[in-house]
Every structure is written in C-alpha cells, then in structure tokens.
Amino acid sequence: MIKNFSKQIKYLRTVFILILTGISTGIVIGLFKEAIHFLSKHVMDLFRKSSGNILYSFLIVVAFILLGTFIYFLTKKDPNINGSGIPVIYGMIDDKIEVNSPKTLINKFIASTLTIGSGLTLGREGPSVQIAGLIGDIAHELSESKENKRYFIGSSAGAGIAVAFNAPMAGLLFTIEEIFKKTNRKVFVFSTLTVFSAVVTADLCFGNRPALIDIPNFEVMDISMLGLIIILGIFAGLSGVLFNYVVISSKKVFAKIKIHPYLKYLIPFVLTAIVLLLDIELFSSSEPFIFLPLTGNKKLAEIIILYLLKILLLSCAFGVGVPGGSLVPLLVIGSLLGNIVATSFVMLGLLDASYILAFTMLAMCGHFSAIVRTPITAIILILEMTGGAFNYLLGLAVVSLVAYSVAEVCNSKPFYDKLYELLLEK
C-alpha cells in the first residue's frame, strides 16, 4: 500500500515537472521567435535605407563581417551551438554527447537570434528544437529520475518545434516519427504533456495564430488532377534528394577550401549581405515566397533562379556551421518547387492558374517528407500551418508518400540522421 502510494506521488511529481517544462519551453521559444521578428524588422529597414547609398551599403557589409566575427568566436567557445542543433539533441538522447545545457541554451539563443534575424538563409525551428531539448535536460534534474532523461529531452525538443510552427499535433508526431522513431506509453505521455502545455503557454503569452496567415480556403481538387499531383510528388522527392545532397555536401566543400577558418566562416555573412543589398526578398527564410501566387506570381525563369539561390545561400551557411535551422528554408524551397511545377503545367494547358498556390502547399509537404523522412508529420504540419485552410488530405497524403518513396529509391539518407552521423565522426 505504501509502495503504491509512493509510486503515485513519484508519477504526479513527474507530471508536474513535465508541465513545468512545457510552460518554460513555451515562454522561451516564444521569446526566441519575438526576438528574431524584432531584429529582422529593423535589419530589413536598414537594407531598405541603404538602397542607392554606397556608404550605407559598405557599412552593412562591415556590420555583417563584425557579426560573423562574433558568431565565429562564440562557436569556438561552444561548438554545440553550431548548425541547427538537432543532431546534438540526438547525441544527448543517446548519451553520446555531453553538453553544458544552461550555457549552450544561452549561447544558442543569442547566436541563432543574430544569424536568423540578420537575414541569413536559416530557420528558427532547428534552434527551437535544440533550445527546448536543453530545457528538458535541465528539467530532468528536478525529476530525480535518470532513466527518464532521454524522454525529458526528446519530448521537450518536440515541444520546441510545436511552438515554433504553432503546430501541436505536428510537434507530437515529429517527436514520435523523427526524435524517438517509435512510440510507447512513456513516449506518448511525456510528449503529449510537454507539447500541449508548451503550445498553450505560448498561445496565451504571444497569441494564437497559424504559421501561415491569410491562406484562402481551398476547395477539394478534382480526382482527375491525381496524375498531376503524383508528378508533383516525384519532383518534390527529387528536389528533396538534391537538397540533402547539396546542403550536406557543402560541409565537405568548405572543408577543402584552404584558407584560414575565420575567413572561411565569414563567407556566408559577406555573401548574404551582398545578395540582400541586391534583392531584399531573399532575406532570411523568405517566407513571402510561399505567397507568390497570391501577390503576383513571377516569371518561371525568375522562380527557378530564386529556388537555386535559396539552396545556395542555405548551403553556404550550413557548410561552415552557422547556428540556425533548415526547416523553414526547406519548406520555402519546396513551395518554390511547387510553383515551378504548377506554372509549367499552366503553360502547357494542363492546370488552371488558380491552383498554383494549392500546388505550392502540396510541394511543401512533399519536400518535408522527402528530406526529413517523416511523412505523417509533413501532412499534419501543412494542415496546422495553414490553420486548416488547406484541407485536401488525399493530395497531401499522395504527395508525401510519393516524395518519400522517391527519396528512398534514391538511397538519400534522412537529413538529420546524416548530420548526426557526421557529428559523431568528428
């Protein structure tokens, strides 16, 4: 009787700490998103003021060099803040990487806010996963249960992506499909409590709105379009294979460049500054590109150039290990791919132009599925990001499955699994 009572008290204590972890995650990741938004707004204003002003343009390039210098020495001090940070979380869960969680949390927050907010082609979701996982690592110390460490870290990491996208179900599925790659009672309970308490907290503190606002409601597509959707899935899968190959190979390419590591590290900062001075649309993840079909679509050649430029800029940042993620950029690149395919269909007379935006949504799902290799998460993520406006489940399922299958046939390793392998090889 006493033993059962003690067990129940221990369980309730764990539940309380998990909810507290979720609340902390919701607040910290919410502040992280707000900090990036605040910095981005002011940096974009500076770029607009520099238009046609040589002195302003020169000062911006100098500022980016100073920023790169600061981030370089920060990463030297704490290598665990490099890149997206998701592979580091995998290492912590597998007990293969030791991390000073409070120190790395602060450094990752600062570094990622500066790199993403300054306009480098990086996303907030990878750092959100790492920051949240570090919160889980800190919280597990309170639970007095060492065997639950991996569950605290993993469930909190999933809460990070849930808050970043304001997508609780996608965060829960990401925890199961990508982080733990399995489910059981403990994974489900830990993840559910942490994810939903984090999202509720973030919504209460910072507002509840989908990641993509003002997406119009779509009608269910005619079944006759299924052939075009399958073709789109094939292209999304091939684009995902290309993305993984180019972005991951960029690390090897930069490793072969025989210049001082400091000068090498400055390349993405200087390149980004110059590119943004020429075209501010390429700022950060360039999420407005998703809405091109609504705001006035560009010519096919221009969309192809934007697609290639976003992959190039992301590869440069990833190649040297600049702190920041790839999830939003890969979604934006996927939307551009969908736009390219749909615009081509329109030009061939196979599709009405009103469906281009729908195809960009479908392609985002397929791209995510092919790259990260989490097909169910990809489907639910698009539903939640659009606030349910895009509810064509059959189309999402077909594109996700086809893109996933293409990546598997091409033997393209899941993006974060490959990055984790490279991390352990160091």
Side-chain angles (χ1 to χ4, degrees):
M1 184 77 173
I2 295 175
K3 187 176 180 181
N4 287 337
F5 179 74
S6 176
K7 188 176 180 181
Q8 288 176 338
I9 292 296
K10 186 177 180 181
Y11 177 76
L12 290 174
R13 176 186 172 85
T14 301
V15 169
F16 173 75
I17 296 172
L18 284 170
I19 293 173
L20 187 63
T21 303
I23 292 171
S24 302
T25 299
I27 293 171
V28 173
I29 303 303
L31 288 172
F32 179 57
K33 290 167 64 178
E34 291 295 315
I36 291 171
H37 176 72
F38 175 83
L39 181 59
S40 296
K41 181 180 176 182
H42 289 283
V43 172
M44 288 185 77
D45 287 340
L46 287 175
F47 272 103
R48 291 190 181 100
K49 289 177 181 177
S50 70
S51 180
N53 190 314
I54 296 176
L55 178 60
Y56 260 50
S57 299
F58 174 75
L59 290 175
I60 284 177
V61 173
V62 172
F64 268 68
I65 291 173
L66 293 175
L67 173 63
T69 302
F70 174 74
I71 301 297
Y72 172 78
F73 285 108
L74 194 60
T75 57
K76 285 295 179 184
K77 186 178 178 182
D78 187 359
N80 288 317
I81 68 173
N82 282 321
S84 72
I86 293 178
V88 173
I89 292 299
Y90 292 169
M92 293 173 67
I93 290 173
D94 292 342
D95 226 2
K96 293 181 178 180
I97 297 176
E98 288 291 329
V99 178
N100 182 336
S101 291
K103 172 189 169 186
T104 298
L105 191 157
I106 294 170
N107 289 338
K108 186 71 172 187
F109 189 107
I110 294 171
S112 296
T113 298
L114 292 174
T115 57
I116 301 166
S118 64
L120 272 74
T121 296
L122 294 165
R124 63 186 177 272
E125 284 65 28
S128 295
V129 170
Q130 184 181 14
I131 291 169
L134 294 170
I135 293 172
D137 185 42
I138 295 168
H140 104 273
E141 299 289 346
L142 303 173
S143 69
E144 298 178 356
S145 177
K146 289 185 178 180
E147 67 270 19
N148 284 336
K149 176 181 177 179
R150 65 192 310 268
Y151 295 104
F152 269 96
I153 295 173
S155 60
S156 189
I161 201 168
V163 175
F165 281 118
N166 194 19
M169 289 307 299
L172 179 60
L173 288 168
F174 185 84
T175 308
I176 294 169
E177 274 195 301
E178 176 60 22
I179 296 176
F180 290 111
K181 292 180 171 59
K182 66 175 184 178
T183 186
N184 54 39
R185 183 173 176 273
K186 184 171 281 191
V187 168
F188 181 77
V189 171
F190 273 61
S191 301
T192 302
L193 286 170
T194 312
V195 166
F196 284 96
S197 57
V199 173
V200 169
T201 301
D203 287 350
L204 289 172
C205 294
F206 305 100
N208 178 15
R209 59 184 183 275
L212 299 176
I213 58 175
D214 298 327
I215 295 288
N217 288 315
F218 291 93
E219 293 182 9
V220 174
M221 297 180 194
D222 192 276
I223 194 67
S224 62
M225 291 187 183
L226 193 58
L228 298 180
I229 291 172
I230 291 173
I231 294 172
L232 176 66
I234 294 171
F235 276 104
L238 292 173
S239 178
V241 172
L242 174 69
F243 178 96
N244 280 1
Y245 177 78
V246 173
V247 175
I248 291 173
S249 295
S250 66
K251 291 185 174 294
K252 294 180 181 178
V253 172
F254 273 93
K256 293 178 180 178
I257 298 176
K258 303 300 181 183
I259 59 175
H260 193 278
Y262 166 66
L263 296 176
K264 192 186 301 184
Y265 200 84
L266 293 181
I267 291 174
F269 291 90
V270 175
L271 179 62
T272 297
I274 294 171
V275 168
L276 294 182
L277 286 168
L278 296 172
D279 188 355
I280 192 63
E281 284 186 312
L282 291 161
F283 190 91
S284 195
S285 298
S286 301
E287 290 172 67
F289 285 160
I290 297 171
F291 298 92
L292 282 178
L294 288 179
T295 58
N297 213 14
K298 297 179 182 291
K299 294 179 181 178
L300 181 59
E302 293 176 346
I303 304 170
I304 293 173
I305 291 171
L306 291 176
Y307 169 84
L308 296 173
L309 278 173
K310 292 309 292 182
I311 293 179
L312 172 64
L313 291 170
L314 178 63
S315 298
C316 285
F318 250 75
V320 298
V322 176
S326 63
L327 288 181
V328 174
L330 74 82
L331 288 172
V332 172
I333 293 167
S335 76
L336 290 169
L337 183 278
N339 197 334
I340 291 167
V341 174
T343 300
S344 299
F345 285 156
V346 171
M347 292 172 67
L348 293 170
L350 300 174
L351 185 70
D352 188 273
S354 62
Y355 284 104
I356 294 178
L357 182 62
F359 271 61
T360 66
M361 298 290 115
L362 289 169
M364 287 166 63
C365 174
H367 216 230
F368 190 100
S369 178
I371 293 168
V372 185
R373 219 60 60 79
T374 52
I376 300 174
T377 302
I379 295 168
I380 301 303
L381 179 63
I382 300 304
L383 292 178
E384 291 189 294
M385 283 182 70
T386 61
F390 190 89
N391 58 7
Y392 186 36
L393 272 171
L394 176 61
L396 288 171
V398 169
V399 169
S400 182
L401 176 61
V402 171
Y404 179 97
S405 300
V406 168
E408 285 287 305
V409 169
C410 293
N411 289 321
S412 174
K413 286 194 174 182
F415 186 67
Y416 294 112
D417 287 359
K418 183 61 179 178
L419 289 178
Y420 182 37
E421 287 180 14
L422 294 174
L423 180 65
L424 293 181
E425 289 174 3
K426 290 182 178 180

